Every structure is written in C-alpha cells, then in structure tokens.
Amino acid sequence: MGDGSVIPKFSNMKAFLGIVAGAGASYGIYKLFSGTSFRKNKKSAFNESNGPKLPHGGMVLQPGSLLAKVSGLDVVRVGESQAVPDDVESSDIISKSPESLEPQHLKMLLSLLQNTPNPSERVQILITLGNTAAFTVNQNLIYELGGIHIIAGFLSDPVPEVRVQTLNALNNLSMNLRNQEQLKVYLAKVLELIEMSPVNSDLQMAALRLLTNLSVTDNHHHLLKGSVTLLLSLLVVSNQVLQIQVLKVLVNLSSDPDMMDDIVQAQVRLTQLNACTGCRPK
C-alpha cells in the first residue's frame, strides 16, 4: 500500500468515528457497560464467550443414557471439585470435568444429536456440547470429529431454540482460530439469521456474538463487506443491549483499514435510503 493512501485512510477512520457517534447514545452506553477504551489496533478486538452453562431443566432423560450422564455435569473451574450424582454408574465419565471428556464421549453426543427426532433433546445435547466447547481440548476434539459441520447443520433447524443453542455452541467453538477456518463457510447463514430473525430476539443476539468472534481477526473481513449496511441499520432499530453487540462487531471491522471504505460507503447508502423514506414517485 503506497504512502499516498495513508491520509485517505485516516480520513475514513475519522468518518467512521463520526458514524458511531451519530448512532446516538449507544457508544456511550457501551463505554459505561464495558469500562474499557477502544484502541485502533487489533488487540482491541472484541470476542465473546458464552462460558459454561448449566443444562435447561424440564426434560426427562432416559436413566443410564450418555445424555443423562454427561449433560448433568457441572462445568468446573480449576481447583473446584466435581460433584458426582449418586444415580450415575459410569465413574469414568462422571469423574471427569467437561474439559477432560474423552473422544468417544463427544463422538456419542454428536451421534445422538444427529439421530434424535426430539427438539428438546437436541437443545439439551447442544447445551452440553456448548459447555464442553468452552475448553480448548474439547474444541480440538470436536474439530477432529467433524463436529463443527454436524453442529452447524442445525442452523436451519425449524425450532428457534435449537438454532439459538447451535449458535451458542458454535460461539464457544469459534474461540479457536483453527475452528474459524471451518466456521467461515457459515457466515452467510449467520448473517441471514441476523437479518431474518425478530429484532432484539435471542437469535439475533446469539448470531451477533458469533459474528463478533469471527471478526476478531481480519482473516474473514472480506466476507463481511456486504453486511455493514445491515449492522448499521440495527443500530437504528434495536434496543441498547443489541446495539452494544452490533458496535462490538463494527469496532472489530474498523480495526481493518481495508474495511473503512466499505463502512463509510454503507453509511452513505443508509443515509440516502432514510432520506427517501416516505418519498412518492412523481
């Protein structure tokens, strides 16, 4: 890149900061919530981790099944002990915390996910896989078992909660850069879910969290060029919580100088569209 392009790029950066400021109080709200400052290098990129979640209740599990044994496990931190339910017999499973589950256990969970016709069970399995994917060792195991493509296949599930938990599991898996190489092929589907889901829904939030992780590095920014107008539009129509998540994605994108022209041009298109709202043809 020649020296002559430096001044325009800085001008574009100033323009983008004006865009964010023009989005209203969202930026200030984000600063209040996060307590952190934006920096113009890639170290300031946002990433999202759901962290461990406990499985939802209300589902009857078959006694002795792998799902019953594994999904009931608490995700433990280093130094914490793992409670062992009295009715679980497979000590080789229940004595392990989720980060040390063996490949055959994850393989069986992935098989269950593919074969169960029950949406509630799919939700439960996805939550369990999402819990285990909070740990690097399991991120690698799921990758090696082809689990990313299996899980991502449920992005099109007809049940909204299944799609939400699919996004949550993929979100934890996306904390691994190698996994992102497989996840990038689903970016178009994630953007579709953001666009087609009800505004401020759990689906939109889960999809934006995944998008935040996938935009931490500039490896896949070129695949998001067409999404900037959508993201800017969400700043206008969404609530404060969703606006904060959108801003995280935009800040990640703005750390890439090659994205600044697209951000500025998207703002121009959006401004023109808003200016024509309600216009009638002569």
Side-chain angles (χ1 to χ4, degrees), residues 64-73 88-115 124-133 137-147 150-151:
S65 69
L66 178 69
L67 183 59
K69 296 169 184 174
V70 179
S71 64
L73 294 176
V88 176
E89 298 177 359
S90 300
S91 58
D92 60 331
I93 296 178
I94 63 173
S95 62
K96 298 177 183 294
S97 56
E99 72 268 28
S100 61
L101 288 178
E102 296 178 6
Q104 64 267 28
H105 304 145
L106 293 175
K107 185 176 182 179
M108 292 177 71
L109 285 172
L110 291 168
S111 178
L112 284 171
L113 179 63
Q114 290 178 288
N115 293 306
Q124 188 70 61
I125 295 167
L126 286 164
I127 292 172
T128 302
L129 287 168
N131 285 345
T132 65
V137 62
N138 290 330
Q139 292 167 5
N140 292 328
L141 286 173
I142 291 172
Y143 174 94
E144 292 162 3
L145 291 168
I150 293 173
I151 294 170

Short mmCIF file of all heavy atoms in Angstrom, two decimals, residues 64-73 88-115 124-133 137-147 150-151:
data_model
loop_
_atom_site.label_atom_id
_atom_site.label_comp_id
_atom_site.label_asym_id
_atom_site.label_seq_id
_atom_site.Cartn_x
_atom_site.Cartn_y
_atom_site.Cartn_z
N GLY A 64 -29.36 -43.83 32.72
CA GLY A 64 -28.24 -44.59 32.21
C GLY A 64 -27.76 -44.18 30.84
O GLY A 64 -26.73 -44.66 30.38
N SER A 65 -28.50 -43.30 30.15
CA SER A 65 -28.06 -42.87 28.83
C SER A 65 -26.88 -41.92 28.96
O SER A 65 -26.68 -41.30 30.00
CB SER A 65 -29.21 -42.19 28.08
OG SER A 65 -29.50 -40.94 28.69
N LEU A 66 -26.11 -41.83 27.86
CA LEU A 66 -24.97 -40.92 27.89
C LEU A 66 -25.42 -39.50 28.13
O LEU A 66 -24.78 -38.74 28.86
CB LEU A 66 -24.20 -41.02 26.57
CG LEU A 66 -23.01 -40.06 26.45
CD1 LEU A 66 -21.91 -40.47 27.42
CD2 LEU A 66 -22.48 -40.04 25.03
N LEU A 67 -26.55 -39.13 27.51
CA LEU A 67 -27.06 -37.78 27.69
C LEU A 67 -27.37 -37.49 29.16
O LEU A 67 -27.06 -36.43 29.68
CB LEU A 67 -28.32 -37.58 26.84
CG LEU A 67 -28.94 -36.19 26.85
CD1 LEU A 67 -27.93 -35.16 26.37
CD2 LEU A 67 -30.18 -36.16 25.98
N ALA A 68 -27.97 -38.49 29.83
CA ALA A 68 -28.28 -38.31 31.25
C ALA A 68 -27.02 -38.18 32.08
O ALA A 68 -26.97 -37.44 33.05
CB ALA A 68 -29.13 -39.48 31.74
N LYS A 69 -25.98 -38.92 31.67
CA LYS A 69 -24.75 -38.91 32.46
C LYS A 69 -23.92 -37.65 32.24
O LYS A 69 -23.36 -37.11 33.18
CB LYS A 69 -23.91 -40.14 32.10
CG LYS A 69 -24.58 -41.46 32.46
CD LYS A 69 -23.83 -42.63 31.84
CE LYS A 69 -24.55 -43.95 32.11
NZ LYS A 69 -23.93 -45.08 31.40
N VAL A 70 -23.86 -37.20 31.00
CA VAL A 70 -22.96 -36.10 30.69
C VAL A 70 -23.61 -34.75 30.86
O VAL A 70 -23.01 -33.82 31.37
CB VAL A 70 -22.43 -36.25 29.24
CG1 VAL A 70 -21.52 -35.11 28.88
CG2 VAL A 70 -21.69 -37.57 29.10
N SER A 71 -24.90 -34.59 30.44
CA SER A 71 -25.50 -33.27 30.45
C SER A 71 -25.75 -32.77 31.86
O SER A 71 -25.90 -31.58 32.07
CB SER A 71 -26.81 -33.29 29.67
OG SER A 71 -27.75 -34.14 30.30
N GLY A 72 -25.77 -33.67 32.83
CA GLY A 72 -25.97 -33.24 34.20
C GLY A 72 -24.72 -32.78 34.90
O GLY A 72 -24.77 -32.31 36.04
N LEU A 73 -23.59 -32.90 34.23
CA LEU A 73 -22.34 -32.50 34.86
C LEU A 73 -22.21 -30.99 34.94
O LEU A 73 -22.50 -30.29 33.99
CB LEU A 73 -21.15 -33.06 34.07
CG LEU A 73 -20.97 -34.57 34.04
CD1 LEU A 73 -19.81 -34.92 33.14
CD2 LEU A 73 -20.72 -35.10 35.44
N VAL A 88 -25.57 -42.17 38.96
CA VAL A 88 -24.78 -42.37 37.76
C VAL A 88 -23.73 -43.43 38.03
O VAL A 88 -22.97 -43.35 38.98
CB VAL A 88 -24.10 -41.05 37.33
CG1 VAL A 88 -23.22 -41.29 36.12
CG2 VAL A 88 -25.17 -40.01 37.00
N GLU A 89 -23.70 -44.45 37.17
CA GLU A 89 -22.82 -45.59 37.41
C GLU A 89 -21.48 -45.46 36.69
O GLU A 89 -20.49 -46.02 37.14
CB GLU A 89 -23.53 -46.87 36.96
CG GLU A 89 -24.81 -47.15 37.74
CD GLU A 89 -25.52 -48.39 37.22
OE1 GLU A 89 -25.01 -48.99 36.26
OE2 GLU A 89 -26.56 -48.76 37.80
N SER A 90 -21.42 -44.77 35.56
CA SER A 90 -20.20 -44.72 34.76
C SER A 90 -19.22 -43.72 35.38
O SER A 90 -19.19 -42.56 35.03
CB SER A 90 -20.53 -44.32 33.32
OG SER A 90 -21.39 -45.27 32.75
N SER A 91 -18.41 -44.23 36.30
CA SER A 91 -17.49 -43.35 37.01
C SER A 91 -16.42 -42.79 36.10
O SER A 91 -15.86 -41.73 36.38
CB SER A 91 -16.83 -44.10 38.18
OG SER A 91 -16.13 -45.24 37.70
N ASP A 92 -16.13 -43.49 34.99
CA ASP A 92 -15.12 -42.99 34.06
C ASP A 92 -15.59 -41.73 33.35
O ASP A 92 -14.78 -40.99 32.80
CB ASP A 92 -14.75 -44.05 33.02
CG ASP A 92 -15.94 -44.49 32.20
OD1 ASP A 92 -17.07 -44.44 32.73
OD2 ASP A 92 -15.73 -44.89 31.04
N ILE A 93 -16.91 -41.46 33.36
CA ILE A 93 -17.44 -40.23 32.76
C ILE A 93 -17.67 -39.17 33.83
O ILE A 93 -17.21 -38.05 33.70
CB ILE A 93 -18.75 -40.51 32.01
CG1 ILE A 93 -18.49 -41.45 30.83
CG2 ILE A 93 -19.39 -39.20 31.52
CD1 ILE A 93 -19.74 -41.81 30.07
N ILE A 94 -18.36 -39.53 34.90
CA ILE A 94 -18.76 -38.51 35.87
C ILE A 94 -17.59 -37.99 36.69
O ILE A 94 -17.67 -36.93 37.29
CB ILE A 94 -19.85 -39.06 36.83
CG1 ILE A 94 -19.29 -40.23 37.65
CG2 ILE A 94 -21.08 -39.45 36.06
CD1 ILE A 94 -20.23 -40.72 38.72
N SER A 95 -16.47 -38.75 36.72
CA SER A 95 -15.31 -38.27 37.48
C SER A 95 -14.51 -37.23 36.70
O SER A 95 -13.60 -36.62 37.25
CB SER A 95 -14.40 -39.45 37.83
OG SER A 95 -13.90 -40.06 36.65
N LYS A 96 -14.88 -37.05 35.43
CA LYS A 96 -14.15 -36.10 34.60
C LYS A 96 -14.90 -34.79 34.54
O LYS A 96 -16.12 -34.76 34.45
CB LYS A 96 -13.98 -36.65 33.17
CG LYS A 96 -13.18 -37.94 33.08
CD LYS A 96 -13.13 -38.41 31.64
CE LYS A 96 -12.40 -39.76 31.54
NZ LYS A 96 -10.98 -39.63 31.88
N SER A 97 -14.17 -33.68 34.57
CA SER A 97 -14.79 -32.40 34.26
C SER A 97 -14.89 -32.29 32.75
O SER A 97 -14.18 -32.98 32.02
CB SER A 97 -13.96 -31.26 34.84
OG SER A 97 -12.62 -31.33 34.38
N PRO A 98 -15.76 -31.43 32.22
CA PRO A 98 -16.02 -31.41 30.77
C PRO A 98 -14.78 -31.17 29.92
O PRO A 98 -14.74 -31.63 28.78
CB PRO A 98 -17.02 -30.25 30.63
CG PRO A 98 -17.75 -30.25 31.92
CD PRO A 98 -16.71 -30.60 32.95
N GLU A 99 -13.78 -30.47 30.43
CA GLU A 99 -12.60 -30.24 29.60
C GLU A 99 -11.77 -31.50 29.40
O GLU A 99 -10.86 -31.52 28.58
CB GLU A 99 -11.71 -29.13 30.20
CG GLU A 99 -10.96 -29.48 31.46
CD GLU A 99 -11.72 -29.12 32.72
OE1 GLU A 99 -12.97 -29.10 32.66
OE2 GLU A 99 -11.08 -28.84 33.74
N SER A 100 -12.07 -32.57 30.15
CA SER A 100 -11.29 -33.80 30.01
C SER A 100 -12.14 -34.97 29.51
O SER A 100 -11.74 -36.12 29.64
CB SER A 100 -10.63 -34.17 31.36
OG SER A 100 -11.61 -34.38 32.36
N LEU A 101 -13.30 -34.68 28.96
CA LEU A 101 -14.09 -35.76 28.35
C LEU A 101 -13.31 -36.40 27.22
O LEU A 101 -12.60 -35.72 26.48
CB LEU A 101 -15.42 -35.21 27.81
CG LEU A 101 -16.47 -34.81 28.84
CD1 LEU A 101 -17.69 -34.25 28.14
CD2 LEU A 101 -16.87 -35.99 29.71
N GLU A 102 -13.44 -37.69 27.09
CA GLU A 102 -12.67 -38.41 26.09
C GLU A 102 -13.37 -38.37 24.74
O GLU A 102 -14.58 -38.13 24.65
CB GLU A 102 -12.47 -39.86 26.56
CG GLU A 102 -11.65 -39.94 27.85
CD GLU A 102 -11.49 -41.36 28.36
OE1 GLU A 102 -11.93 -42.29 27.64
OE2 GLU A 102 -10.94 -41.53 29.45
N PRO A 103 -12.62 -38.61 23.65
CA PRO A 103 -13.20 -38.50 22.31
C PRO A 103 -14.45 -39.33 22.11
O PRO A 103 -15.39 -38.88 21.43
CB PRO A 103 -12.05 -38.98 21.41
CG PRO A 103 -10.81 -38.66 22.19
CD PRO A 103 -11.17 -38.88 23.63
N GLN A 104 -14.50 -40.53 22.69
CA GLN A 104 -15.66 -41.38 22.45
C GLN A 104 -16.94 -40.77 23.05
O GLN A 104 -18.04 -41.00 22.54
CB GLN A 104 -15.45 -42.80 23.00
CG GLN A 104 -15.29 -42.91 24.51
CD GLN A 104 -13.82 -42.88 24.92
OE1 GLN A 104 -12.99 -42.29 24.21
NE2 GLN A 104 -13.50 -43.50 26.04
N HIS A 105 -16.79 -40.02 24.14
CA HIS A 105 -17.96 -39.39 24.74
C HIS A 105 -18.51 -38.30 23.83
O HIS A 105 -19.73 -38.20 23.60
CB HIS A 105 -17.60 -38.80 26.10
CG HIS A 105 -17.01 -39.79 27.05
ND1 HIS A 105 -16.02 -39.45 27.95
CD2 HIS A 105 -17.24 -41.12 27.21
CE1 HIS A 105 -15.69 -40.53 28.64
NE2 HIS A 105 -16.41 -41.55 28.20
N LEU A 106 -17.62 -37.47 23.30
CA LEU A 106 -18.05 -36.42 22.38
C LEU A 106 -18.61 -37.02 21.09
O LEU A 106 -19.58 -36.50 20.53
CB LEU A 106 -16.88 -35.48 22.07
CG LEU A 106 -16.37 -34.64 23.25
CD1 LEU A 106 -15.13 -33.87 22.85
CD2 LEU A 106 -17.46 -33.70 23.74
N LYS A 107 -18.00 -38.10 20.63
CA LYS A 107 -18.48 -38.76 19.42
C LYS A 107 -19.90 -39.26 19.62
O LYS A 107 -20.75 -39.14 18.72
CB LYS A 107 -17.54 -39.91 19.06
CG LYS A 107 -17.88 -40.59 17.74
CD LYS A 107 -16.84 -41.64 17.40
CE LYS A 107 -17.15 -42.30 16.06
NZ LYS A 107 -16.13 -43.33 15.70
N MET A 108 -20.18 -39.82 20.79
CA MET A 108 -21.52 -40.33 21.07
C MET A 108 -22.53 -39.18 21.16
O MET A 108 -23.66 -39.31 20.69
CB MET A 108 -21.50 -41.14 22.36
CG MET A 108 -20.72 -42.45 22.24
SD MET A 108 -20.62 -43.37 23.80
CE MET A 108 -22.32 -43.92 23.96
N LEU A 109 -22.11 -38.06 21.75
CA LEU A 109 -23.00 -36.91 21.82
C LEU A 109 -23.34 -36.39 20.43
O LEU A 109 -24.49 -36.06 20.13
CB LEU A 109 -22.36 -35.79 22.65
CG LEU A 109 -22.35 -35.99 24.17
CD1 LEU A 109 -21.52 -34.91 24.83
CD2 LEU A 109 -23.77 -35.99 24.72
N LEU A 110 -22.34 -36.32 19.55
CA LEU A 110 -22.58 -35.86 18.19
C LEU A 110 -23.50 -36.82 17.44
O LEU A 110 -24.35 -36.40 16.65
CB LEU A 110 -21.25 -35.70 17.45
CG LEU A 110 -20.36 -34.56 17.94
CD1 LEU A 110 -18.96 -34.66 17.35
CD2 LEU A 110 -20.99 -33.20 17.60
N SER A 111 -23.34 -38.12 17.68
CA SER A 111 -24.20 -39.10 17.07
C SER A 111 -25.64 -38.95 17.56
O SER A 111 -26.60 -39.02 16.78
CB SER A 111 -23.68 -40.51 17.35
OG SER A 111 -24.54 -41.49 16.79
N LEU A 112 -25.79 -38.75 18.88
CA LEU A 112 -27.12 -38.52 19.44
C LEU A 112 -27.77 -37.29 18.83
O LEU A 112 -28.97 -37.28 18.52
CB LEU A 112 -27.03 -38.35 20.95
CG LEU A 112 -26.83 -39.62 21.79
CD1 LEU A 112 -26.53 -39.23 23.24
CD2 LEU A 112 -28.07 -40.51 21.72
N LEU A 113 -26.99 -36.24 18.65
CA LEU A 113 -27.52 -35.01 18.09
C LEU A 113 -28.07 -35.23 16.69
O LEU A 113 -29.13 -34.70 16.33
CB LEU A 113 -26.41 -33.95 18.05
CG LEU A 113 -26.77 -32.59 17.46
CD1 LEU A 113 -27.85 -31.92 18.30
CD2 LEU A 113 -25.54 -31.69 17.37
N GLN A 114 -27.38 -36.02 15.90
CA GLN A 114 -27.80 -36.27 14.52
C GLN A 114 -29.03 -37.17 14.43
O GLN A 114 -29.80 -37.06 13.48
CB GLN A 114 -26.66 -36.92 13.73
CG GLN A 114 -25.48 -36.02 13.44
CD GLN A 114 -24.39 -36.74 12.70
OE1 GLN A 114 -23.69 -37.59 13.26
NE2 GLN A 114 -24.24 -36.43 11.42
N ASN A 115 -29.24 -38.01 15.43
CA ASN A 115 -30.24 -39.06 15.30
C ASN A 115 -31.50 -38.85 16.12
O ASN A 115 -32.49 -39.55 15.90
CB ASN A 115 -29.61 -40.42 15.67
CG ASN A 115 -28.55 -40.84 14.67
OD1 ASN A 115 -28.80 -40.91 13.48
ND2 ASN A 115 -27.36 -41.12 15.16
N GLN A 124 -30.90 -29.93 24.52
CA GLN A 124 -30.11 -30.39 25.66
C GLN A 124 -28.70 -30.82 25.22
O GLN A 124 -27.70 -30.48 25.86
CB GLN A 124 -30.81 -31.56 26.33
CG GLN A 124 -30.18 -32.00 27.65
CD GLN A 124 -30.40 -30.96 28.73
OE1 GLN A 124 -31.53 -30.65 29.09
NE2 GLN A 124 -29.32 -30.42 29.24
N ILE A 125 -28.61 -31.55 24.12
CA ILE A 125 -27.31 -32.01 23.63
C ILE A 125 -26.46 -30.82 23.19
O ILE A 125 -25.25 -30.77 23.46
CB ILE A 125 -27.50 -33.00 22.47
CG1 ILE A 125 -28.20 -34.27 22.96
CG2 ILE A 125 -26.16 -33.37 21.85
CD1 ILE A 125 -28.71 -35.16 21.84
N LEU A 126 -27.07 -29.86 22.52
CA LEU A 126 -26.32 -28.68 22.07
C LEU A 126 -25.80 -27.87 23.25
O LEU A 126 -24.69 -27.33 23.21
CB LEU A 126 -27.21 -27.81 21.16
CG LEU A 126 -27.44 -28.38 19.76
CD1 LEU A 126 -28.62 -27.67 19.09
CD2 LEU A 126 -26.18 -28.23 18.91
N ILE A 127 -26.59 -27.78 24.31
CA ILE A 127 -26.12 -27.09 25.51
C ILE A 127 -24.92 -27.81 26.10
O ILE A 127 -23.92 -27.20 26.49
CB ILE A 127 -27.25 -26.98 26.56
CG1 ILE A 127 -28.34 -26.02 26.06
CG2 ILE A 127 -26.71 -26.50 27.90
CD1 ILE A 127 -29.58 -26.00 26.94
N THR A 128 -25.00 -29.15 26.14
CA THR A 128 -23.89 -29.94 26.67
C THR A 128 -22.64 -29.76 25.82
O THR A 128 -21.54 -29.55 26.34
CB THR A 128 -24.28 -31.43 26.72
OG1 THR A 128 -25.44 -31.58 27.53
CG2 THR A 128 -23.15 -32.26 27.30
N LEU A 129 -22.79 -29.83 24.50
CA LEU A 129 -21.65 -29.63 23.61
C LEU A 129 -21.10 -28.21 23.74
O LEU A 129 -19.89 -28.00 23.68
CB LEU A 129 -22.06 -29.91 22.16
CG LEU A 129 -22.29 -31.38 21.81
CD1 LEU A 129 -22.97 -31.51 20.44
CD2 LEU A 129 -20.97 -32.15 21.82
N GLY A 130 -22.00 -27.25 23.93
CA GLY A 130 -21.54 -25.87 24.14
C GLY A 130 -20.74 -25.73 25.42
O GLY A 130 -19.74 -25.01 25.46
N ASN A 131 -21.17 -26.43 26.46
CA ASN A 131 -20.42 -26.42 27.72
C ASN A 131 -19.02 -26.99 27.53
O ASN A 131 -18.02 -26.41 27.98
CB ASN A 131 -21.16 -27.23 28.78
CG ASN A 131 -22.38 -26.51 29.33
OD1 ASN A 131 -22.55 -25.31 29.15
ND2 ASN A 131 -23.24 -27.25 30.00
N THR A 132 -18.94 -28.12 26.87
CA THR A 132 -17.63 -28.75 26.70
C THR A 132 -16.74 -27.93 25.78
O THR A 132 -15.52 -27.92 25.92
CB THR A 132 -17.78 -30.17 26.11
OG1 THR A 132 -18.33 -30.10 24.79
CG2 THR A 132 -18.68 -31.02 26.98
N ALA A 133 -17.36 -27.21 24.83
CA ALA A 133 -16.59 -26.41 23.87
C ALA A 133 -16.01 -25.15 24.50
O ALA A 133 -15.31 -24.40 23.82
CB ALA A 133 -17.46 -26.05 22.67
N VAL A 137 -9.25 -28.13 24.80
CA VAL A 137 -9.05 -29.54 24.47
C VAL A 137 -10.26 -30.10 23.75
O VAL A 137 -10.14 -30.87 22.79
CB VAL A 137 -8.72 -30.36 25.74
CG1 VAL A 137 -9.86 -30.31 26.75
CG2 VAL A 137 -8.38 -31.79 25.37
N ASN A 138 -11.46 -29.70 24.18
CA ASN A 138 -12.68 -30.19 23.55
C ASN A 138 -12.95 -29.48 22.23
O ASN A 138 -13.55 -30.06 21.32
CB ASN A 138 -13.86 -30.04 24.50
CG ASN A 138 -13.78 -31.02 25.66
OD1 ASN A 138 -13.23 -32.10 25.53
ND2 ASN A 138 -14.31 -30.63 26.80
N GLN A 139 -12.54 -28.23 22.11
CA GLN A 139 -12.64 -27.54 20.83
C GLN A 139 -11.87 -28.31 19.76
O GLN A 139 -12.33 -28.48 18.63
CB GLN A 139 -12.10 -26.11 20.94
CG GLN A 139 -12.94 -25.19 21.81
CD GLN A 139 -12.22 -23.90 22.14
OE1 GLN A 139 -11.11 -23.64 21.66
NE2 GLN A 139 -12.83 -23.07 22.97
N ASN A 140 -10.68 -28.77 20.13
CA ASN A 140 -9.86 -29.54 19.19
C ASN A 140 -10.48 -30.90 18.88
O ASN A 140 -10.48 -31.35 17.74
CB ASN A 140 -8.45 -29.71 19.74
CG ASN A 140 -7.69 -28.39 19.81
OD1 ASN A 140 -7.90 -27.51 18.99
ND2 ASN A 140 -6.81 -28.26 20.79
N LEU A 141 -11.00 -31.55 19.92
CA LEU A 141 -11.61 -32.87 19.71
C LEU A 141 -12.83 -32.78 18.80
O LEU A 141 -13.02 -33.60 17.90
CB LEU A 141 -12.00 -33.48 21.05
CG LEU A 141 -10.86 -34.02 21.92
CD1 LEU A 141 -11.38 -34.43 23.29
CD2 LEU A 141 -10.17 -35.20 21.23
N ILE A 142 -13.67 -31.78 19.03
CA ILE A 142 -14.88 -31.62 18.21
C ILE A 142 -14.49 -31.33 16.76
O ILE A 142 -15.11 -31.84 15.82
CB ILE A 142 -15.77 -30.51 18.79
CG1 ILE A 142 -16.38 -30.98 20.13
CG2 ILE A 142 -16.88 -30.13 17.82
CD1 ILE A 142 -17.12 -29.91 20.89
N TYR A 143 -13.44 -30.54 16.58
CA TYR A 143 -12.93 -30.27 15.23
C TYR A 143 -12.51 -31.58 14.55
O TYR A 143 -12.88 -31.84 13.40
CB TYR A 143 -11.77 -29.30 15.31
CG TYR A 143 -11.05 -29.04 14.00
CD1 TYR A 143 -11.40 -27.94 13.21
CD2 TYR A 143 -10.02 -29.87 13.56
CE1 TYR A 143 -10.75 -27.69 12.01
CE2 TYR A 143 -9.37 -29.63 12.36
CZ TYR A 143 -9.74 -28.54 11.58
OH TYR A 143 -9.09 -28.31 10.40
N GLU A 144 -11.74 -32.37 15.26
CA GLU A 144 -11.21 -33.60 14.67
C GLU A 144 -12.29 -34.63 14.39
O GLU A 144 -12.15 -35.47 13.50
CB GLU A 144 -10.14 -34.19 15.61
CG GLU A 144 -8.89 -33.32 15.69
CD GLU A 144 -8.02 -33.64 16.90
OE1 GLU A 144 -8.37 -34.58 17.64
OE2 GLU A 144 -7.01 -32.94 17.10
N LEU A 145 -13.39 -34.56 15.13
CA LEU A 145 -14.50 -35.49 14.92
C LEU A 145 -15.48 -35.01 13.86
O LEU A 145 -16.49 -35.67 13.61
CB LEU A 145 -15.25 -35.71 16.24
CG LEU A 145 -14.50 -36.47 17.34
CD1 LEU A 145 -15.22 -36.35 18.67
CD2 LEU A 145 -14.33 -37.93 16.95
N GLY A 146 -15.17 -33.89 13.23
CA GLY A 146 -16.10 -33.33 12.25
C GLY A 146 -17.32 -32.73 12.89
O GLY A 146 -18.35 -32.52 12.22
N GLY A 147 -17.23 -32.41 14.17
CA GLY A 147 -18.39 -31.93 14.91
C GLY A 147 -18.85 -30.54 14.54
O GLY A 147 -20.04 -30.22 14.72
N ILE A 150 -21.36 -30.90 11.85
CA ILE A 150 -22.57 -31.55 12.39
C ILE A 150 -23.40 -30.53 13.16
O ILE A 150 -24.62 -30.42 12.96
CB ILE A 150 -22.18 -32.73 13.29
CG1 ILE A 150 -21.53 -33.85 12.46
CG2 ILE A 150 -23.41 -33.26 14.04
CD1 ILE A 150 -20.97 -34.99 13.28
N ILE A 151 -22.75 -29.78 14.05
CA ILE A 151 -23.47 -28.79 14.85
C ILE A 151 -24.03 -27.68 13.97
O ILE A 151 -25.20 -27.29 14.10
CB ILE A 151 -22.54 -28.21 15.93
CG1 ILE A 151 -22.15 -29.30 16.94
CG2 ILE A 151 -23.20 -27.04 16.66
CD1 ILE A 151 -21.05 -28.90 17.90
#
